């Protein structure tokens, strides 16, 4: 909530709603899983976004309250993590560095670690858990100061983009606050009717809401960035699979 009230309220977001054809992504996931490499759709999405950020540097930037825009060197994937603290549900913000360089199985393993490992054994979760114990006023003062200093800002929120997925709760779309310059809200993958070459076909589709801070990324840049992500996902990450993944998909 501190990140939402102290970061997202200082942005001027724009929202683009679209649908991704997930057929090739599902085929990729299924082939890799059949070959013993357990992969999730979330892993595919995170890798696609990270790859697209390499060629869209403005999407890796963030804006300081004084107006300066700081650009990050490499993508860092961010995603929401729903956990229980005792009997109390809590939402954390996990991060994965170098997702664009990792195999999909490695990303899936990291996602699983965030979802199942002991809170204090995962550095990012432990940091957030400890920070949540700091008195409210002191925590707010610390974050407010950190937002003005690039080094501290990257500690408070290291992610260059965020992904929020509540498809498991049956939500088709999600408008998430801009705690990062670029935020993606995705729903569940579901069969829908689509016209392909004048033929009506059933395809596995996913609704996506892309929110970006227009103080950093303009509408044209946002549209090109989203189109690049969509092309990667709808091609099944063609040209970006490891040799091992290619061997499993061609088997």
């Amino acid at each position: 909530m501190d990140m939402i009230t102290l970061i997202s309220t200082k942005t001027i977001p724009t929202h683009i709603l679209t649908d991704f054809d997930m057929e090739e992504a599902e085929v990729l996931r299924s082939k890799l899983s059949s070959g013993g490499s357990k992969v999730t759709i979330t892993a595919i999405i995170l890798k696609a976004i990270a790859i697209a950020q390499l060629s869209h540097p403005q999407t890796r930037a963030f804006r300081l309250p004084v107006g300066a825009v700081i650009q990050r060197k490499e993508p860092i994937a961010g995603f929401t993590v729903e956990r229980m603290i005792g009997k109390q549900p809590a939402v954390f913000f996990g991060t994965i560095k170098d997702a664009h360089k990792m195999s999909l199985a490695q990303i899936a393993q990291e996602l699983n670690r965030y979802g199942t490992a002991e809170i204090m054994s995962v550095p990012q979760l432990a940091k957030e858990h400890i920070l949540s114990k700091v008195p409210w006023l002191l925590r707010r003062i610390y974050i407010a100061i950190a937002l003005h200093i690039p080094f501290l800002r990257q500690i408070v929120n290291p992610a260059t983009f965020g992904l929020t997925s509540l498809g498991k709760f049956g939500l088709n779309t999600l408008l998430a606050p801009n705690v990062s310059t670029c935020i993606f809200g995705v729903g569940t993958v579901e069969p829908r009717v689509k016209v392909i070459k004048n033929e009506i076909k059933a395809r596995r589709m996913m609704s996506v809401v892309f929110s970006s801070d227009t103080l950093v990324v303009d509408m044209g840049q946002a549209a090109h960035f989203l189109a690049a992500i969509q092309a990667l996902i709808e091609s099944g990450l063609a040209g970006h699979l490891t040799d091992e993944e290619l061997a499993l998909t061609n088997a």
Side-chain angles (χ1 to χ4, degrees):
M1 290 302 298
D2 291 325
M3 292 176 65
I4 292 174
T5 56
L6 293 175
I7 297 179
S8 69
T9 55
K10 303 300 189 296
T11 67
I12 301 179
T14 186
H15 311 292
I16 304 176
L17 284 70
T18 189
D19 292 316
F20 285 0
D21 187 328
M22 301 299 292
E23 200 73 23
E24 290 301 319
E26 284 284 7
V27 169
L28 172 62
R29 183 197 62 76
S30 179
K31 286 183 176 180
L32 292 177
S33 296
S34 297
S37 182
K38 188 175 181 180
V39 167
T40 63
I41 285 296
T42 300
I44 295 173
I45 297 170
L46 288 177
K47 182 165 183 173
I49 298 173
I51 292 170
Q53 277 203 324
L54 293 174
S55 55
H56 295 79
Q58 198 68 13
T59 66
R60 304 195 304 267
F62 62 86
R63 183 177 181 273
L64 298 177
V66 294
V69 174
I70 309 298
Q71 187 170 299
R72 306 291 299 278
K73 289 183 179 180
E74 297 220 328
I76 298 179
F79 49 93
T80 51
V81 182
E82 295 82 31
R83 296 293 299 266
M84 295 295 294
I85 305 298
K87 295 183 179 180
Q88 179 70 36
V91 177
F92 292 86
F93 199 55
T95 58
I96 298 178
K97 294 181 179 180
D98 299 326
H100 56 292
K101 300 177 183 178
M102 298 168 66
S103 71
L104 292 169
Q106 289 173 324
I107 298 174
Q109 287 168 5
E110 270 296 283
L111 292 171
N112 182 64
R113 186 170 73 96
Y114 269 99
T116 60
E118 289 292 331
I119 298 293
M120 298 307 292
S121 71
V122 183
Q124 181 67 24
L125 298 185
K127 179 185 71 175
E128 294 175 20
H129 184 56
I130 293 170
L131 190 58
S132 71
K133 300 297 184 181
V134 175
W136 176 82
L137 182 58
L138 293 179
R139 187 176 66 242
R140 300 272 293 192
I141 291 173
Y142 166 72
I143 294 176
I145 293 173
L147 295 183
H148 290 77
I149 304 172
F151 172 72
L152 292 179
R153 166 66 182 265
Q154 294 177 51
I155 293 177
V156 170
N157 182 17
T160 58
F161 69 88
L163 176 71
T164 298
S165 173
L166 294 179
K168 63 183 179 182
F169 297 112
L171 297 182
N172 290 328
T173 54
L174 176 67
L175 190 63
N178 277 90
V179 294
S180 297
T181 296
C182 297
I183 292 287
F184 298 82
V186 301
T188 186
V189 177
E190 59 184 4
R192 298 182 199 165
V193 172
K194 182 179 180 181
V195 177
I196 301 176
K197 295 181 180 179
N198 295 322
E199 292 185 9
I200 298 176
K201 296 185 177 182
R203 303 284 286 186
R204 286 170 283 191
M205 306 291 292
M206 181 181 70
S207 294
V208 178
V209 180
F210 172 44
S211 302
S212 60
D213 183 4
T214 55
L215 295 173
V216 182
V217 179
D218 65 37
M219 278 291 290
Q221 292 169 328
H224 281 98
F225 178 48
L226 184 60
I229 297 165
Q230 184 169 4
L232 283 164
I233 291 175
E234 294 187 352
S235 72
L237 294 180
H240 296 279
L241 300 177
T242 66
D243 290 341
E244 183 180 353
E245 289 170 336
L246 283 173
L248 288 174
T249 57
N250 293 329

